[in-house]
Amino acid sequence: MAAHLSYGRVNLNVLREAVRRELREFLDKCAGSKAIVWDEYLTGPFGLIAQYSLLKEHEVEKMFTLKGNRLPAADVKNIIFFVRPRLELMDIIAENVLSEDRRGPARDFHILFVPRRSLLCEQRLKDLGVLGSFIHREEYSLDLIPFDGDLLSMESESAFKECYLEGDQTSLYHAAKGLMTLQALYGTIPQIFGKGECARQVANMMIRMKREFTGSQNSIFPVFDNLLLLDRNVDLLTPLATQLTYEGLIDEIYGIQNSYVKLPPEKFAPKKQGDGGKDLPTEAKKLQLNSAEELYAEIRDKNFNAVGSVLSKKAKVISAAFEERHNAKTVGEIKQFVSQLPHMQAARGSLANHTSIAELIKDVTISGTTLASTMMAPRGTSEDFFDKLTVEQEFMSGIDTDKVNNYIEDCIAQKHPLIKVLRLVCLQSVCNSGLKQKVLDYYKREILQTYGYEHILTLHNLEKAGLLKPQPGGRNNYPTIRKTLRLWMDDVNEQNPTDISYVYSGYAPLSVRLAQLLSRPGWRSIEEVLRILPGPHFEERQPLPTGLQKKRQPGENRVTLIFFLGGVTFAEIAALRFLSQLEDGGTEYVIATTKLMNGTSWIEALMERPF
Amino acid sequence: MWETWLWAWCPKESQKADEYLREIQELGQLTQAVQQCIEAAGHEHQPDMQKSLLRVGLEGRAGQGWEGGGMDSWGSSLCCPLALLRRLPLETSIPMRVRRVLTARGDGEQGKYRYKQLTIQVLLDRYGKPRAGATLPPLSTPSHSLLYPLAIQICEYLRLPEVQGVSRILAHWACYKVQQKDVSDEDVARAINQKLGDTPGVSYSDIAARAYGCGRTELAIKLLEYEPRSGEQVPLLLKMKRSKLALSKAIESGDTDLVFTVLLHLKNELNRGDFFMTLRNQPMALSLYRQFCKHQELETLKDLYNQDDNHQELGSFHIRASYAAEERIEGRVAALQTAADAFYKAKNEFAAKATEDQMRLLRLQRRLEDELGGQFLDLSLHDTATTLILGGHNKRAEQLARDFRIPDKRLWWLKLTALADLEDWEELEKFSKSKKSPIGYLPFVEICMKQHNKYEAKKYASRVGPEQKVKALLLVGDVAQAADVAIEHRNEAELSLVLSHCTGATDGATADKIQRARAQAQKK
């Protein structure tokens, strides 16, 4: 069921099994039939850990969403609240418990805090007079959730905002805890590198926590050679740019949530002749996207322009395989053909799905090719996509970043989605180390007049996060950073990439470049740029007993766990996978993050709507 | 037989004893003999006799034929006392303690052999841990403090894991140490830390709790400095009423829940002024508390910003308040005025001016609703102007644009979009001729095509500047003319754009023309 988690260099199924075991143990503590009341946000991440069948095996008979007033009727012995430790949720729980019908059969209440038990919340429950009603109050340390064979996420959507805007480091603490869990399962990580304030703090917490655990010496042979902690605010640029990998574009256009995507159903309608397209499905098509699907694993990280040729090649291979049936003459041959049928049919289904998705994306991204389509939608979405991309690429390569941009101006005037405008303005600001005061004020004024004055709060948030700012002292550092780190590559090869810049068709993500340079030749070569980028950079060693020290075989790659504090995009993940697969790369990456995100969801989380 | 051996033993007759020993061994009773020797020693009250018995036991163990494996088969219960005995300095009063140790669980006839069950840990605890109510002599006597190193040796000899062995002894020792009232806090703390270091399994907070129990709060605090687990450290500090110290420890840990807990504690303990002052010195705690207030105590949040003269945040606070609390327009404007004042104080002139504009707009929108009816409140300035045009109030829209200095370009887009939405083609044409368009004429073409009005679109296509001419012509479907313009421009990109718009059936001639032009261009 989760076999794809064990395909990578590090078997992440071990982690999944560990958290599943912990869940089972808790459920078994509450003997008898149960109903779970869910903090709705948790259901998505939990789905990656345990399906309903696991819960059912442990006598979970009903599931509800946490909301005010009385609990729905359920003939069960136990009511268990699965919640994040948030005060507002405690109030709702208290309401549920207090309005419990006293005449009804007595039920046992329990709370499972995810990922951590909170004294503050328990105090609130106490103040509300219900703390005593709970038999078990426990924590379920689900910090890092395995998403794929090389990918872990905390799925904490507000982590960036909390860390960089509100000075709340809760998610950093959870990150450190999650890293301790990983080390308990996969051995102590001997070397820690980091860049940024938050990275420094997480490393400090880890070292501190290690002291707390001195009693139990970790005797597991270390799987990871290095840990690289990276602050998102070291690289504010990358998420703002539009991702151009297949997976990245799916996420940009439709949004991938907990590895699922919901797509417009039209293109997925079963093709039947004579149906006249009467019964088009109306419900969105929901697909799970991960490496368990062979074809998806092959194309997800490719530049979208290279996906088409793979799909058509695959189509030929599959139809050729089906043609084989004509050649199957003997009983044995037929038998063999039939035995391969399920696999072939799955491949054909998968191909059909991705061909449909690619068409959907093409409609949005590739400029109108026929006159008819242009006639129907002058200046259609695809043309606009191209214009937007052009502007982004100009900014990233350092062209005209210091003056008001016509395209952005037009977008505002035509009231394009605000998030799109904000992404572009922020991108320009970041690519110019801040905007000239006059330019900044002009954009801000245009945005407030067009979209409403309430967005002054959002603009303020973006400024606080450093995404939008006046250029300090008229100095633009971006060209230095761009040149030293080779962030812009003119000769990008989208089909057979030779450099990570293929994921943005020219721009090499800064964050991944830092990782690449760390592994070879080391950060000492880029000291100057590291000083320009915000926050300290550092290195820590965690000494290992001699018995656990690794003797690397010649040609054996190192394994680096790279942790993005504040979120990571699919394009960055693709770039890291590209580096992992390089033959002489020397390093394979496992990626962890507080949240899988894109520029839109990122800006969205920073927006504030007062009404 | 072994009894004979036992009783025959005395220093002068050791040779005889050896003989007995061999006999016992032959009978396969050695194990039993040693066991009983030790037990007897345990029951013996006279030190001399005790010594003798123990020596016999030891000799029996050390003597011929005592298989190493036997230790294991005896289990920890016996192996432990034996190991212990081997190293005991018999000249001291220790046998007395050994007796107590061995008989601790074996009082009375029934418990004869029960020392077997005595686990190592219990033994060590008895040995090392000064327990209240225990019948042990006062531990402050020098002789007993000597026992700790011995106990540690025992642990090492038995190869006990640190957590079960050495750590426990050290912890017991430390607890004994904190009761040495004649030694200064500093010295005790230092001595304890020197011995314990980071020994796994040692709980400094347990030791500190004992120190606190003995009334030595200062010592307890010093000891807590060495406690790495803030979850243990902080609650004890709170119990000892050292909340401020607890706060900085909680902050160090990074555990925000712990910080919150201390904060709420402090809030109840201190008066408001002191509480705020404490926060002021702890930025991390302050930001956490602000977040708490944002959701729980809005008024306190305002006070916090005021205390810090954080006018920027105060401004934002009042902006939020203008939406949240106030229904009436006067109330909203008043809240915005407060916000604008705060922004001025924050030297954020942009925000102040924007907020004043917003106040102006709100008042205007109210007036528009009164005079024209319809919904204006809380529309953006842009949408207000659009609504006015859609309602046919062009004059008012223009006045609005002037009052708020809407840039020309955006105003043109705005009018163009609104008029096209109305499909008021006449007004649109008039507008297009009112002066030279600051946005060019391609948007006019586009917007007409969007409304599927090719006729109107063509009017504007002819006015599009040379740079966008090809695009405009293609939009209105005039491929042939587009080709002519592109050829005239000798622009390769434009040529291929036109070519991509050529459909085989109708534009064959055009396509050929382009190909010829291309070929010619290449010749040159």
Side-chain angles (χ1 to χ4, degrees), chain B residues 389 394 397-398 401 406-422 424-441 443-445 447-448 456 459-460 463:
Chain B
I389 296 175
N394 287 348
E398 269 158 34
I406 294 182
D408 230 17
K409 273 165 97 173
R410 183 152 54 84
L411 184 63
W412 273 68
W413 272 110
L414 191 158
K415 276 193 175 175
L416 167 69
T417 316
L419 291 174
D421 274 355
L422 283 175
D424 190 346
W425 307 116
E426 205 178 312
E427 189 66 31
L428 185 66
E429 195 173 350
K430 241 169 51 192
F431 168 58
S432 77
K433 286 174 177 161
S434 60
K435 66 176 198 181
K436 190 174 176 289
S437 163
I439 55 173
Y441 294 92
F444 284 78
V445 180
I447 210 137
C448 292
E456 290 293 330
K459 283 186 191 167
Y460 300 106
R463 294 166 68 183

Side-chain angles (χ1 to χ4, degrees), chain A residues 87-88 91 116-121 123-124 161 166-171 173-174 205 208-209 211-217 368-371 374-379 383 387 406 409-410 412-415 437 440-442 444-446 448-457 459-461 464 608 610-611, chain B residues 163 198-201 226-230 233 249 252-258 260-261 264 284 287-288 291-292 294 296 312-313 316 319-320 323-324 343 350-351 354-355 357-358 361 378 380-383 404-407 409-410 413-414 439 442 446 449-450 452 454 471 474-477 479 500-501 503:
Chain A
L87 288 179
E88 62 273 18
D91 296 351
R116 211 130 280 119
R117 209 172 144 173
S118 146
L119 296 164
L120 186 71
C121 286
Q123 183 63 42
R124 170 59 67 97
K161 185 178 180 185
E166 296 169 344
D168 176 353
Q169 304 165 352
T170 308
S171 52
Y173 183 72
H174 294 172
M205 285 182 213
R208 217 191 137 80
M209 286 172 187
R211 272 181 64 207
E212 293 188 19
F213 290 128
T214 38
S216 46
Q217 249 178 22
T369 41
T370 65
L371 188 59
T374 323
M375 290 280 287
M376 292 298 288
R379 218 181 164 68
E383 199 167 332
D387 290 348
N406 276 332
E409 234 182 343
D410 286 354
I412 297 173
Q414 295 171 77
K415 235 187 147 186
Q437 192 68 49
L440 178 63
D441 285 354
Y442 178 79
K444 276 162 67 178
R445 198 161 162 277
E446 285 293 280
L448 293 180
Q449 287 200 350
T450 307
Y451 298 92
Y453 286 103
E454 67 272 20
H455 295 294
I456 196 165
L457 297 173
L459 292 175
H460 178 49
N461 284 348
K464 242 171 137 179
E608 189 174 341
F611 59 86
Chain B
V163 181
D198 281 342
T199 314
Y226 302 117
E227 172 62 63
R229 291 167 303 167
S230 16
Q233 186 183 39
K249 290 293 166 198
E252 263 173 45
S253 77
D255 182 347
T256 45
D257 185 52
L258 211 52
F260 268 126
T261 309
L264 295 191
M284 187 255 202
S287 7
L288 279 181
Q291 281 317 108
F292 174 80
K294 211 169 179 174
Q296 307 288 331
Q312 173 64 39
E313 289 297 343
S316 298
I319 296 272
R320 275 182 214 110
Y323 287 99
F343 286 138
F350 176 86
T355 307
D357 281 351
Q358 188 186 1
L361 180 65
D378 283 322
S380 74
L381 179 65
H382 192 91
D383 292 349
F404 285 87
R405 294 188 292 125
I406 294 182
K409 273 165 97 173
R410 183 152 54 84
W413 272 110
L414 191 158
I439 55 173
L442 186 63
E446 284 173 343
M449 289 306 294
K450 213 173 185 174
H452 308 295
K454 203 168 174 177
K471 232 177 182 178
L474 287 175
L475 271 175
V476 298
V479 184
S500 75
H501 279 75
T503 46

Side-chain angles (χ1 to χ4, degrees), chain A residues 56-67:
Chain A
K56 223 168 168 179
E57 276 165 30
H58 295 265
E59 294 179 85
V60 175
E61 292 173 3
K62 290 258 162 66
M63 308 232 266
F64 307 116
T65 304
L66 181 65
K67 48 180 180 249

Side-chain angles (χ1 to χ4, degrees), chain A residues 411-426:
Chain A
C411 284
I412 297 173
Q414 295 171 77
K415 235 187 147 186
H416 282 198
L418 175 58
I419 292 189
K420 173 187 170 185
V421 169
L422 292 175
R423 266 178 85 162
L424 285 167
V425 175
C426 290

Side-chain angles (χ1 to χ4, degrees), chain B residues 352-380:
Chain B
K353 288 246 154 61
T355 307
E356 282 171 351
D357 281 351
Q358 188 186 1
M359 290 156 58
R360 217 146 45 93
L361 180 65
L362 266 182
R363 289 205 196 93
L364 178 78
Q365 285 172 332
R366 158 51 52 86
R367 215 164 52 235
L368 289 174
E369 283 191 1
D370 288 347
E371 291 171 22
L372 307 174
Q375 274 276 343
F376 283 97
L377 272 180
D378 283 322
L379 290 182
S380 74

